[in-house]
Amino acid sequence: MRDFPSCFGENAVQIADSSSSNGNKTSQNLVTCVYQCRLRGRSCLITLNWSKNLMGQGLSVGIDDSDNQSLCKVDIKPWLFSKRKGSKRIELDDSSNIDMYWDLSLAKFGSAPEPLEGFYFVIVSDRQMLLLLGDMRKEAFKKTAVTAAPVPMHTVFVAKREHVFGKKVFYTKAQFCDKGKTHDLMIECDTIGTNDPCLIIRVDTKNVMQVKHLQWKFRGNHAILVDGLPVEILWDVHNWLFGTSLGSAVFMFKTNLSADKSDLNILQWSHLQRFPDSESHLLGFSLILYVWKLE
């Protein structure tokens, strides 16, 4: 664990703060999802940034190759009437095309900017679907019938980053493998008015981790089992204890398919900024949470 403290330092918080001087207000509604796919025989990453501001929901989509070179980037703003439902074609340098189709006109949202139901979002290339999201699958296939054959997709959900807010208890949902069960995740920590703060993490109401004497153990890691998979929990709550009121704690939940703790040495912060690279994809799924305390 020699390398771990460098992964969660001040730079980790600045990613959330950099967009605005009032960082926690701006970053409150931001979810980033990363999928690994094959595009014309190459390994690629599809990155979706779901966001929400005073005008409504928004979505940006980027596709990068294994060398971290951008192949395309598209901004979709569903709060504009003409953009709630539509399509876009992107021409790549090799004369191939990528087509995106979406229908968010009836989408339902919870507290997060990521839609829950009533939508579809599709990426198509070479008459094959690279990505299909949402519960309106029939509508999606009907929309892409001319340009997309319904063949099995080799796309894997590899990483997610989101901002979570609360006063003492923080809730989110987590899916620790690509087609696994969605679990309720709860983080509880009270750092105000107590001489000995304690950190508790629960999965589906089950207590899976408890850290006492947190002022001495504000960074660390702990291994648990979820759905039979080893999951490594890494945390840094330094800013909660010693930082400013706007500082966030950082948590990472990583499925480690090799079950070898030495693999944690590859988790350099540069990888986490763009999410796992082609080497770390093989190890499983990463969920990174920036957790903010509301006043």
Side-chain angles (χ1 to χ4, degrees):
M1 288 304 299
R2 179 177 56 198
D3 295 329
F4 175 66
S6 65
C7 293
F8 293 117
E10 294 181 357
N11 291 335
V13 177
Q14 289 304 315
I15 291 177
D17 285 345
S18 60
S19 60
S20 171
S21 59
N22 192 7
N24 66 334
K25 295 294 185 181
T26 302
S27 63
Q28 178 173 355
N29 294 295
L30 177 64
V31 173
T32 301
C33 298
V34 181
Y35 304 83
Q36 186 180 27
C37 70
R38 302 289 297 181
L39 176 61
R40 298 182 68 86
R42 296 179 293 175
S43 178
C44 294
L45 291 181
I46 301 174
T47 302
L48 273 63
N49 285 294
W50 300 95
S51 60
K52 182 169 68 174
N53 57 30
L54 294 177
M55 295 181 65
Q57 261 72 20
L59 171 64
S60 66
V61 184
I63 302 179
D64 303 295
D65 63 19
S66 57
D67 295 324
N68 203 33
Q69 298 297 314
S70 177
L71 300 179
C72 68
K73 186 174 182 180
V74 176
D75 290 319
I76 302 170
K77 299 178 180 180
W79 57 84
L80 299 177
F81 180 78
S82 61
K83 294 295 184 180
R84 291 181 182 270
K85 182 178 181 180
S87 63
K88 186 174 183 63
R89 167 163 290 190
I90 303 100
E91 295 183 359
L92 303 182
D93 294 337
D94 59 1
S95 299
S96 62
N97 298 321
I98 292 179
D99 295 297
M100 299 184 186
Y101 304 87
W102 63 89
D103 187 349
L104 300 163
S105 57
L106 299 177
K108 296 181 180 179
F109 297 85
S111 57
E114 195 177 11
L116 299 176
E117 60 181 342
F119 78 102
Y120 67 78
F121 177 79
V122 182
I123 300 179
V124 175
S125 178
D126 293 336
R127 297 182 57 83
Q128 294 184 4
M129 284 190 176
L130 296 181
L131 182 67
L132 171 58
L133 300 178
D135 57 337
M136 296 172 58
R137 298 177 65 89
K138 291 183 179 179
E139 292 82 352
F141 281 118
K142 181 179 179 180
K143 181 66 177 180
T144 60
V146 176
T147 57
V151 299
M153 294 176 294
H154 301 285
T155 301
V156 181
F157 189 21
V158 295
K160 184 176 183 179
R161 181 179 65 197
E162 65 177 291
H163 301 272
V164 181
F165 283 70
K167 293 185 177 181
K168 178 181 176 182
V169 182
F170 310 86
Y171 297 94
T172 188
K173 292 183 179 294
Q175 187 177 356
F176 293 103
C177 60
D178 183 45
K179 300 184 183 300
K181 176 184 175 182
T182 299
H183 297 274
D184 293 316
L185 183 64
M186 187 190 80
I187 299 172
E188 181 177 356
C189 185
D190 188 3
T191 58
I192 301 176
T194 176
N195 295 325
D196 189 13
C198 175
L199 173 67
I200 299 174
I201 294 180
R202 297 185 177 93
V203 177
D204 296 334
T205 71
K206 181 180 179 181
N207 191 341
V208 297
M209 191 189 88
Q210 182 172 347
V211 181
K212 298 181 179 180
H213 311 302
L214 198 58
Q215 64 269 40
W216 305 109
K217 301 177 182 179
F218 51 85
R219 293 190 183 105
N221 73 297
H222 181 74
I224 64 173
L225 284 176
V226 180
D227 297 333
L229 293 174
V231 177
E232 198 80 14
I233 304 175
L234 302 97
W235 70 89
D236 182 348
V237 297
H238 179 274
N239 281 347
W240 275 0
L241 297 169
F242 311 111
T244 67
S245 59
L246 294 180
S248 68
V250 186
F251 295 83
M252 182 167 73
F253 298 78
K254 182 174 180 63
T255 58
N256 194 346
L257 299 185
S258 65
D260 183 353
K261 289 187 178 181
S262 64
D263 289 328
L264 293 174
N265 292 332
I266 72 169
L267 297 178
Q268 302 297 330
W269 185 249
S270 60
H271 293 171
L272 299 183
Q273 283 182 302
R274 66 179 187 270
F275 283 101
D277 60 8
S278 58
E279 181 181 9
S280 58
H281 287 170
L282 302 176
L283 298 178
F285 173 79
S286 297
L287 169 65
I288 303 172
L289 303 177
Y290 296 96
V291 183
W292 305 81
K293 282 184 176 291
L294 297 174
E295 296 179 355

